[in-house]
Amino acid sequence: LEAIQNAVSFDLASGGSWTSDRENCQFVATQYERAAQCIGWTPATPLEWNLSDLYSGPDDPRLGEDLARARQLADAFAPRYRGKMAALSPAELRQALVEWEAMLEVAYRRVLYAQLLFSGKTDDEKAGAHLNRTQESTTETFNQVAFFEVELKRLPEDAFGQQIKSAELANYHHH
């Protein structure tokens, strides 16, 4: 940790959050090498995430099940809320947000898994292909519900302000 702190401190003291000259780059690289040595990581030891909390592997049937579930949630969500955002009561908007979050959780779990799998195996064509397939299928799912954020942002400021202050939306003030 000290090595990483040294690298970041030196980098920031030398003009910014990104190194721009050779000396800064070399110093930062040296500090990261020290940090890697402290935790026993070397380039010969590939980075490997324990992703078993998400899926057992790229062939885990739950990946396909989650894709189907995300699509099912999006298919149900779109006709229920498309073009209706302005007319929703606070309770109905809360229900829409709960459904939206449920769909995001299922869809992003697959993406997170694929990204972490690939980050540890960037030279593995199968991991890259898995990431590409996952991103494409997730994009298809999200395209079905892209209207939601757009319509939510188009709500008149005063009307949305009144809704978001309601008790039903207490957990959604960040919107």
Side-chain angles (χ1 to χ4, degrees), residues 19-93:
T19 55
S20 59
D21 64 57
R22 185 181 176 103
E23 181 183 331
N24 287 352
C25 290
Q26 288 175 334
F27 180 81
V28 171
T30 302
Q31 296 303 307
Y32 284 118
E33 285 175 15
R34 281 186 49 215
Q37 289 171 356
C38 289
I39 62 170
W41 183 82
T42 64
T45 308
L47 175 65
E48 195 166 317
W49 296 99
N50 177 357
L51 303 175
S52 61
D53 286 346
L54 297 169
Y55 300 100
S56 63
D59 297 327
D60 189 329
R62 292 180 304 146
L63 283 158
E65 292 166 9
D66 280 351
L67 171 59
R69 178 73 179 138
R71 286 184 174 163
Q72 178 187 34
L73 291 169
D75 288 344
F77 186 90
R80 189 168 23 254
Y81 298 108
R82 185 185 314 272
K84 301 172 186 170
M85 297 300 297
L88 295 180
S89 70
E92 292 167 327
L93 179 55

Side-chain angles (χ1 to χ4, degrees), residues 85-94 152 155-170 173:
M85 297 300 297
L88 295 180
S89 70
E92 292 167 327
L93 179 55
R94 180 188 181 284
L152 193 60
L155 290 175
E157 188 84 25
D158 57 335
F160 183 71
Q162 289 301 317
Q163 278 194 323
I164 207 69
K165 290 178 185 175
S166 70
E168 291 97 335
L169 294 168
H173 289 174

Side-chain angles (χ1 to χ4, degrees), residues 90-103:
E92 292 167 327
L93 179 55
R94 180 188 181 284
Q95 182 59 37
L97 289 164
V98 167
E99 291 175 30
W100 174 256
E101 288 175 340
M103 183 198 56

